[in-house]
Amino acid sequence: MKARREPLQPAHLTLDAQGVPCSTLYGDVYHSRSGAFDQARHVFLRGNDLPQRWQGRDTFTVCETGFGLGNNFLALWQAWRECGARPQRLHVLSFEAHPFTAADLARALAGHEGEMAGLAQALVDAWPPLIAGLHRLVFEGGRVTLTLAFGRIEYLARQTEARVDAFFLDGFSPRVNPQMWSRELFGQLVRMANEGATAATWCSAGQVRRDLAAAGFLVTRVPGFGGKRQMSRAVLRPGLGRPAPRPQREPVIVVGGGLAGTGVAHSLALRGHAVAVFDPMFRSGPGGSHEGHRSAAMTPALSRDDNPMSRLSRAGILLAHQRWKGLHDAYVRCGSLLRVPESESGLWRAALRELAQPAEWARWCEAHETEAQVGHALRHAGVWLGAGSRVRPAALIAILLAHEGITVHPRAVASIRAGGTGWQVLGDDAAVLGEAPRIVLATATHTPALLAALFPDAHYPRLSAMQRMGGQVAFFRAGDLPCTHAIVAGAGYWLPEDGGIHTGGSTYVFDTAVSEPTESGFDSVAHKVAGLLEIDAARLRAARAQPSGWAGWRVAFSDHLPMIGAVDARESVWLACGYGSRGLSWMTLAGEIIAARLNGEPQVVERELLKSVRAR
Ligand SMILES: Cc1cc2nc3c(=O)[nH]c(=O)nc-3n(C[C@H](O)[C@H](O)[C@H](O)COP(=O)(O)OP(=O)(O)OC[C@H]3O[C@@H](n4cnc5c(N)ncnc54)[C@H](O)[C@@H]3O)c2cc1C
Ligand SMILES: C[S@@+](CC[C@H](N)C(=O)[O-])C[C@H]1O[C@@H](n2cnc3c(N)ncnc32)[C@H](O)[C@@H]1O
């Protein structure tokens, strides 16, 4: 537990007398003095029989215990590119307690030449913020992924989910870095291993070999590299490990084409699944479920103790940024100023110091900075969250659903039954609308009823506590109002102008059967925004636009976390619902969690976070 809460301690690039990168924390070099790539190829690639072992495989997964400068990853990636019989997809999971900053990584990799220089640059460009947890980097259009687990391996190895074929054991010397070579760690690696998994390391220490053997590997010594007489190779003992996944990329039906359904459909389509999405709202276009919802905010959840909500929201937003890059018609990263009560500013400053997140992710913003940061001077400020984004929900949905692997069907699903290739969805006239081996219910408030009809005897305690709330946003003409260029959030939110209109949010209406924009709802939003912007509410009322708002529904659970998970043992029926006020933050996350699971990829968040959102 403690290890997770520790802020990351980045490494600093230092070279030894021979110009080899070395660690001042551990007093050891990052790679053999005889060359990083030659070492990678001899020890880690050949030591794991690569590239031969991945030939003919659809998916191959490598797990590395110390990412360091990424030289092993780059050598592996290059070998994958060069191999005519490469797997369709290569996944790499790599742990790192002391990541370099992007600038140090760039400096360290600056000497690479030719193709390797390009790969190194792509790695630097994709480098995530130095925040503890899992970060998914995507290359080659998704055919190569790198899941970086930032934090101590002692904690994180228990938290990762993957189906591994080959291990690169690359800590510093066991003498100075015993955590990277413990029997307990090797046990966790075996938990993730596929049948026949192999491991290789430059290290031939007796204790390491004994602990690998105790964990379940058959270990041998073979000639080493760069002056090392021997290195170790290991293969998982027969009878251990799970069969390697053989992703079928089966067709999937997604019921519901709102934010949740769209996020899931898109992640699956990117992996090659044929996805059929059903939603009656498609009758007014693919973005039908959010037609009129001009602009919405995606602001990271922040908590002083970095709780699961904050961690999940961070993961979701980082994944979304990566996925939506270039979708300029739908999304702009403008930053959010999170206003906190003046009485709490001391607490927040202290928390930010303790969280020690990079300034581009979260930093204290002084009042005198607000003019430049937000475009409007405030008497007191709050926390600046650089990842805050303004999104046009309907446009985003339409763009993502336009993927060639997705078909949209303007029909409501009245019921689901077992049949055909797995599950059949039926319309209200009992006609079969479609069938597929897997189905995802992204049906917001309708989820419990659909599920109860499908599995009448099952009980899902969290689902039964689902709550539905109506609510509206309000629209204001730009011009006489503060011309902000960032999101201002707190008790409500205010979005930068879009097409001459600012969107302000929002209301929460309980116990209502209809959700539509009302006069009192508009006033309530104007009042909230006036507080946020420190202006008179009358100015906002005078700038009322036409139409003056959009109303919809939110569906949430009491813990404010979404529900993302399978409900049956075969993992053929999935739920993606309960997105509350953060549909934009959860939509890519849910898609990636479900797609990773169905395709045997490393998971994108820690196991304890998966547990916190599961459906049963
Ligand atoms: C006023 C307001 C402002 C908001 N602002 C923001 C914001 O700024 N940022 C943010 O991140 N979130 C915001 N939200 C929350 C966000 O809208 C929700 O979290 C999100 O829409 C949830 O996604 P969903 O797909 O679960 O539900 P929806 O987007 O509501 O979509 C569910 C879809 O399922 C379809 N469906 C249901 N049953 C069936 C069936 N049987 N067959 C076929 N289709 C079916 C429905 O027709 C619907 O289109 C706001 C919500 C409201 C109400
Ligand atoms: C020998 S270097 C790895 C070199 C790397 N494989 C490469 O290709 O550049 C060992 C790495 O393990 C990391 N490390 C050390 N202790 C760790 C721990 N407890 N958890 C995770 N990573 C750790 C170090 O920070 C260092 O980057």
Side-chain angles (χ1 to χ4, degrees), residues 255-261 278-281 289-290 293 296-298 411-414 442-444 446 450 470-473 493 506-507 550-554 576-585:
V255 188
L259 295 179
F278 291 84
D279 195 321
M281 300 305 282
S289 59
H290 283 263
H293 192 182
M298 184 170 74
R411 296 293 301 266
V413 168
T443 39
H446 297 109
L450 278 174
Q472 78 168 84
V473 291
Y493 55 85
S506 61
T507 61
W550 172 85
W553 295 102
R554 299 182 187 87
C577 61
Y579 286 16
S581 302
R582 295 187 180 273
L584 295 168
S585 307

Side-chain angles (χ1 to χ4, degrees), residues 189-210:
L189 302 188
V190 169
R191 173 182 63 77
M192 293 190 273
N194 287 332
E195 286 169 350
T198 56
T201 174
W202 50 265
C203 177
S204 62
Q207 190 59 49
V208 167
R209 285 185 287 117
R210 282 190 291 279

Side-chain angles (χ1 to χ4, degrees), residues 128-129 131 134-136 297-302 309-325 331-336 360-361 385-391 487 581-590 592 604-605:
I131 304 179
L134 269 51
H135 300 268
R136 169 63 69 87
M298 184 170 74
T299 293
L302 190 71
M309 159 79 110
S310 313
R311 294 163 60 202
L312 283 160
S313 131
R314 187 158 66 231
I317 288 175
L318 287 169
L319 288 165
H321 280 318
Q322 197 177 64
R323 188 54 58 73
W324 302 343
K325 221 182 297 167
Y331 142 90
V332 49
R333 189 169 168 165
C334 53
S336 297
E360 80 262 21
W361 184 262
L385 300 161
S389 308
R390 174 180 66 67
V391 180
I487 296 167
S581 302
R582 295 187 180 273
L584 295 168
S585 307
W586 305 140
M587 62 185 285
T588 316
L589 177 72
E592 290 299 291
V604 293
V605 291

Side-chain angles (χ1 to χ4, degrees), residues 123-206:
L123 174 63
V124 171
D125 291 344
W127 198 240
L130 301 195
I131 304 179
L134 269 51
H135 300 268
R136 169 63 69 87
L137 280 51
V138 176
F139 306 101
E140 308 276 4
R143 289 187 302 148
V144 174
T145 73
L146 170 62
T147 306
L148 285 167
F150 281 172
R152 291 184 185 278
I153 202 164
E154 305 87 291
Y155 161 73
L156 275 179
R158 279 181 272 131
Q159 289 296 336
T160 44
E161 188 177 304
R163 309 283 301 271
V164 179
D165 299 294
F167 295 96
F168 293 6
L169 307 179
D170 197 13
F172 290 123
S173 147
R175 190 176 41 81
V176 295
N177 196 192
Q179 308 85 342
M180 295 288 269
W181 307 95
S182 72
R183 188 185 296 193
E184 198 197 346
L185 169 61
F186 296 154
Q188 288 301 325
L189 302 188
V190 169
R191 173 182 63 77
M192 293 190 273
N194 287 332
E195 286 169 350
T198 56
T201 174
W202 50 265
C203 177
S204 62

Side-chain angles (χ1 to χ4, degrees), residues 196-403:
T198 56
T201 174
W202 50 265
C203 177
S204 62
Q207 190 59 49
V208 167
R209 285 185 287 117
R210 282 190 291 279
D211 284 339
L212 276 171
F217 285 100
L218 300 171
V219 190
T220 51
R221 277 184 294 184
V222 293
F225 172 80
K228 284 203 182 294
R229 208 161 54 83
Q230 292 180 313
M231 59 170 269
S232 306
R233 293 177 58 155
V235 60
L236 197 64
R237 224 182 271 137
L240 292 181
R242 290 172 293 174
R246 296 182 195 284
Q248 308 287 311
R249 307 199 212 299
E250 299 159 321
V252 180
I253 285 178
V254 175
V255 188
L259 295 179
T262 300
V264 173
H266 191 243
S267 286
L268 290 170
L270 286 173
R271 267 84 171 177
H273 295 265
V275 188
V277 189
F278 291 84
D279 195 321
M281 300 305 282
F282 290 152
R283 285 186 193 124
S284 45
S289 59
H290 283 263
E291 198 177 69
H293 192 182
R294 295 186 68 103
S295 286
M298 184 170 74
T299 293
L302 190 71
S303 56
R304 296 203 292 267
D305 58 352
D306 203 27
N307 62 19
M309 159 79 110
S310 313
R311 294 163 60 202
L312 283 160
S313 131
R314 187 158 66 231
I317 288 175
L318 287 169
L319 288 165
H321 280 318
Q322 197 177 64
R323 188 54 58 73
W324 302 343
K325 221 182 297 167
L327 302 187
H328 304 301
D329 283 344
Y331 142 90
V332 49
R333 189 169 168 165
C334 53
S336 297
L337 177 69
L338 180 65
R339 304 216 53 193
V340 299
E342 206 165 0
S343 57
E344 290 179 17
S345 62
L347 285 175
W348 277 100
R349 283 170 196 261
L352 287 171
R353 275 195 299 276
E354 201 160 312
L355 289 170
Q357 295 177 347
E360 80 262 21
W361 184 262
R363 71 170 179 84
W364 185 255
C365 176
E366 300 290 352
H368 67 81
E369 295 176 79
T370 53
E371 174 98 64
Q373 215 55 33
V374 176
H376 175 58
L378 293 165
R379 280 193 299 278
H380 79 272
V383 183
W384 175 253
L385 300 161
S389 308
R390 174 180 66 67
V391 180
R392 295 178 183 148
L396 180 72
I397 290 174
I399 292 172
L400 297 180
L401 290 182
H403 189 285

